[in-house]
Amino acid sequence: MDGSISQGTAWVGVCALEEIPRQGSRVVATAGHGEVAVFRALDDAVFALEDRCPHKGGRLSQGIVHGHAVTCPLHNWVIDLESGEAAAPDVGCAKRIPVRVEGGRVLMALRG
């Protein structure tokens, strides 16, 4: 998925917002994307990326969340949570999965 919602996409509940610590993450196993890291920023914004750094495949879920970014624990690449793009001078992109919060539940868009 490129972040856009297409026909045949289902919004699936993955957890309660409160189950993700502020400035932390939770890993969700999916059939179509493998392991997905769902991040919660200090301002309660929620983001989802495949749990692989575009550099060397480090687990982004184990990184440090700051603002709307996460720092990969392997080589300190900074990944923007909104776009999945690595901060310059690094180049690469983690796959973004659409996510939203409704009634305190985190929903992720998965292809049906």
Side-chain angles (χ1 to χ4, degrees):
M1 251 194 209
D2 63 3
S4 62
I5 306 299
S6 63
Q7 203 142 358
T9 297
W11 287 95
V12 177
V14 294
C15 65
L17 177 62
E18 294 302 318
E19 291 178 49
I20 306 170
R22 284 193 171 102
Q23 294 185 292
S25 68
R26 179 182 176 125
V27 177
V28 177
T30 69
H33 299 286
E35 290 192 336
V36 173
V38 182
F39 299 93
R40 180 180 178 193
L42 189 59
D43 64 2
D44 288 334
V46 177
F47 309 93
L49 300 173
E50 284 188 349
D51 196 17
R52 293 179 44 80
C53 178
H55 178 224
K56 297 278 186 179
R59 298 199 50 158
L60 295 174
S61 61
Q62 295 176 3
I64 297 170
V65 176
H66 46 97
H68 286 186
V70 62
T71 298
C72 178
L74 289 184
H75 300 103
N76 294 323
W77 276 36
V78 176
I79 307 297
D80 181 275
L81 293 172
E82 294 183 52
S83 67
E85 294 285 335
D90 300 320
V91 177
C93 188
K95 192 171 209 176
R96 189 176 65 84
I97 291 70
V99 66
R100 67 183 185 205
V101 178
E102 286 183 4
R105 296 277 308 155
V106 177
L107 306 172
M108 191 178 340
L110 301 173
R111 288 198 176 146

